[in-house]
Amino acid sequence: MTYIIKSAIVLSALYLPYMLLLRKESFFRFNRAMLLCIMMLSLTLPLFDIHALSWESNPMSEHLPSYTQPVLVPSPHEPQADAVLATAETGSTNWWHIISLLYIIGMAIMLATKLTQLGILYRKIRQGVLWADKQEGVTIYCHIHPIAPFSWMRSIVISEDDYTNNASTILRHEMGHIQNHHSLDIVLLNACQVIQWANPLVWVMAHSLRDVHEYEADDAVLRSGVSIHQYHNLLIKKAVGSSSYAFANSFNHSLLKKRITMMLKKKSNPWMRSKALYILPVAVVALSAFATPELNNRANTGTEVMNSGKVTEKSATSQDLKNFSASTAPDEEDAIFMICEEMPEFEGGAAKMMEHLMRNLKYPKEAQEHGIQGKVIVSFVVEKDGSCTNFEVVRNSSEAKDIRATVVTVQNTGKETEETTNAEDERKAQAAKEALNQEAIRVCKLMKFKPGKQRGQAVRVRFTVPLTFRLQ
């Protein structure tokens, strides 16, 4: 889906300037080349990721982004864990996946429609044929029924009446389509329409391409020596509508006024071609945008588990378990990515990851005794085989790197008192916080992931798991 969005952006950014600058110029071959270039760039530019062109001047590898906790600490005797997991699994709706699925269904329908039209075209070429003949390597099918002349690949279809009265001019026009390989252009156009069926500009561009095809074929007729007035009269006589075949080049394509105007128009100054240079900065900007890391904020969701056995819900979702991060330079084989095309996933899915943590994570006794609560964020590297290494505790702020835990003292009444300040209590509190650290790292070491992938290859990815320890 990301590729499709990028492709649509490139096509729109390149085609709109063409409409403003080049559409009305009379260098038909050049304009056709421009349209083909626009289509090819829209299909290929999103595939490139040139980091030298990235707008990101400073690497992100030294900074962990700020985001929230989807996973929290269970007490050793948590009776409501299963209910919480069910809520986390069923309470989320991945709209992005739904939209992607609907778009793919649309692509499949469009592809089926195009293939059906192509089948109808081939069937129409051979139905009602009175005779067939080969000229200059092209097969001419003469139909007994009235039919609008058209060409496809190396075939020309013409009615018996048109062949009897206007064979030379009509065949010269259709030969112009065949000699310029216009059918291949139409195949590329239809491929773009299948991929970008929801982009209205790809359908507008279809008219521009067919216009240029007709201008080129008309020019071939006039260059063969046919009188311009005679040809105009024939066009007016045959202007009864356009062909109903999406892939064919039709002689009486319904753009008569524009065709006659273009034939009578003074040839454009060759220097006007220089306007096409706009394509270079647009392509560079697109490559720079596609190479720049995207920063996606995650919603602050999760479930908090109290040591009293009670559970508070905050609508944890499966997507919240995925790491938010930014990419490092992937040029080195052992580079550690902060973001990649396919992020690591806990074996069994997000719900299994929650279940694993809630089943295995224990609230350290010394932390409970000294009233230590708060959030611990563990960072580690998911290796290419899915194992986890390089464990460390980080914090989710720009302050000094200490443990994200809050120290409070609790009396028998359950009310907070002032924080102790003597050295012994501080030492015990620090030891309790270290116990939270070690417990968080211990349970993370038990996890096994499906490795992250970049361009189909397994890569090392930095991953973080936040865990909240809360007393009640």
Side-chain angles (χ1 to χ4, degrees):
M1 196 65 190
T2 301
Y3 166 81
I4 293 170
I5 294 173
K6 290 180 178 180
S7 178
I9 292 172
V10 172
L11 185 139
S12 303
L14 294 177
Y15 178 63
L16 288 174
Y18 169 88
M19 290 286 290
L20 297 173
L21 301 175
L22 296 170
R23 180 171 57 95
K24 295 183 179 181
E25 302 299 339
S26 61
F27 21 80
F28 313 130
R29 188 182 298 270
F30 183 81
N31 278 3
R32 175 191 168 211
M34 280 294 298
L35 290 171
L36 295 178
C37 184
I38 289 171
M39 287 189 285
M40 290 299 299
L41 289 175
S42 73
L43 296 176
T44 57
L45 279 186
L47 300 176
F48 292 97
D49 187 2
I50 304 176
H51 287 272
L53 298 176
S54 173
W55 293 336
E56 187 66 34
S57 58
N58 297 318
M60 297 288 294
S61 57
E62 297 180 0
H63 305 282
L64 279 176
S66 176
Y67 72 111
T68 57
Q69 74 277 14
V71 182
L72 303 120
V73 181
S75 68
H77 49 281
E78 178 52 65
Q80 298 180 356
D82 292 339
V84 173
L85 288 174
T87 303
E89 182 68 16
T90 60
S92 62
T93 302
N94 195 324
W95 292 106
W96 181 252
H97 286 174
I98 293 174
I99 293 172
S100 299
L101 179 60
L102 292 176
Y103 195 94
I104 292 172
I105 292 173
M107 288 177 60
I109 294 173
M110 186 59 62
L111 178 61
T113 301
K114 297 293 184 182
L115 293 176
T116 302
Q117 291 174 342
L118 187 60
I120 292 173
L121 174 63
Y122 274 107
R123 189 165 61 250
K124 192 66 178 180
I125 290 175
R126 292 170 174 78
Q127 282 182 348
V129 175
L130 186 62
W131 54 263
D133 187 25
K134 274 205 169 184
Q135 296 182 15
E136 303 178 24
V138 176
T139 304
I140 300 173
Y141 295 91
C142 183
H143 281 225
I144 191 171
H145 304 295
I147 187 171
F150 67 88
S151 61
W152 170 248
M153 294 300 183
R154 306 293 295 179
S155 301
I156 296 176
V157 174
I158 187 172
S159 68
E160 184 181 21
D161 180 64
D162 285 332
Y163 189 84
T164 302
N165 299 313
N166 305 291
S168 176
T169 304
I170 293 177
L171 292 180
R172 183 65 263 167
H173 178 93
E174 299 304 334
M175 282 290 188
H177 285 303
I178 293 173
Q179 290 169 357
N180 287 293
H181 308 289
H182 290 168
S183 296
L184 298 180
D185 299 0
I186 295 176
V187 171
L188 178 60
L189 171 66
N190 280 272
C192 287
Q193 289 177 332
V194 170
I195 295 173
Q196 299 187 36
W197 61 267
N199 182 4
L201 285 180
V202 79
W203 301 97
V204 176
M205 189 171 65
H207 294 289
S208 295
L209 183 63
R210 288 184 183 263
D211 290 353
V212 172
H213 284 176
E214 295 305 317
Y215 299 156
E216 273 198 302
D218 291 339
D219 190 57
V221 173
L222 297 179
R223 287 176 182 273
S224 69
V226 176
S227 167
I228 189 170
H229 297 293
Q230 178 186 345
Y231 189 52
H232 287 177
N233 291 334
L234 177 61
L235 288 178
I236 294 171
K237 178 182 176 181
K238 300 300 297 181
V240 292
S242 61
S243 170
S244 59
Y245 315 119
F247 285 82
N249 298 291
S250 174
F251 177 76
N252 59 339
H253 198 278
S254 59
L255 50 110
L256 178 60
K257 182 179 178 180
K258 289 192 288 185
R259 289 170 66 182
I260 293 177
T261 300
M262 197 60 73
M263 281 186 273
L264 295 173
K265 185 177 181 179
K266 182 181 177 180
K267 295 298 181 182
S268 300
N269 189 323
W271 284 101
M272 299 300 287
R273 292 185 176 93
S274 62
K275 292 189 290 186
L277 292 176
Y278 79 85
I279 202 169
L280 298 178
V282 172
V284 171
V285 169
L287 286 172
S288 299
F290 298 157
T292 301
E294 298 175 356
L295 303 180
N296 303 312
N297 293 318
R298 297 286 182 183
N300 182 7
T301 57
T303 48
E304 294 185 355
V305 183
M306 315 302 182
N307 72 336
S308 62
K310 296 182 180 179
V311 179
T312 31
E313 293 183 23
K314 295 169 83 173
S315 300
T317 66
S318 299
Q319 285 298 310
D320 292 325
L321 292 174
K322 292 185 178 178
N323 184 31
F324 165 82
S325 47
S327 63
T328 61
D331 300 330
E332 302 178 7
E333 183 178 352
D334 293 329
I336 298 176
F337 283 68
M338 300 297 290
I339 192 170
C340 59
E341 294 173 353
E342 296 182 33
M343 292 298 292
E345 183 179 2
F346 185 81
E347 290 188 349
K352 287 292 184 181
M353 180 176 175
M354 273 187 98
E355 185 178 352
H356 163 82
L357 293 171
M358 298 182 79
R359 183 176 63 251
N360 294 285
L361 199 60
K362 309 298 181 183
Y363 209 120
K365 183 177 180 181
E366 53 265 55
Q368 296 185 45
E369 290 176 349
H370 292 85
I372 304 299
Q373 66 175 13
K375 180 167 60 179
V376 176
I377 302 177
V378 180
S379 172
F380 51 87
V381 175
V382 179
E383 300 290 346
K384 296 178 182 180
D385 61 356
S387 62
C388 301
T389 61
N390 299 348
F391 293 89
E392 61 176 326
V393 173
V394 297
R395 49 173 294 169
N396 191 15
S397 71
S398 59
E399 298 176 3
K401 293 185 178 180
D402 56 359
I403 307 165
R404 290 207 59 174
T406 303
V407 182
V408 294
T409 57
V410 182
Q411 295 180 330
N412 293 333
T413 59
K415 297 180 180 179
E416 295 184 3
T417 64
E418 295 183 356
E419 295 182 1
T420 57
T421 56
N422 62 68
E424 180 63 19
D425 285 343
E426 286 184 0
R427 185 191 65 78
K428 291 181 179 180
Q430 194 63 36
K433 290 192 290 184
E434 183 61 27
L436 294 183
N437 267 356
Q438 297 304 318
E439 177 60 20
I441 291 177
R442 182 193 68 81
V443 75
C444 286
K445 286 183 177 180
L446 301 176
M447 295 195 292
K448 178 76 173 177
F449 286 78
K450 295 179 182 178
K453 292 184 178 181
Q454 181 75 8
R455 296 176 182 172
Q457 299 295 323
V459 293
R460 305 175 72 202
V461 183
R462 172 69 62 179
F463 202 87
T464 57
V465 175
L467 305 108
T468 296
F469 296 81
R470 187 173 299 277
L471 296 168
Q472 185 179 42

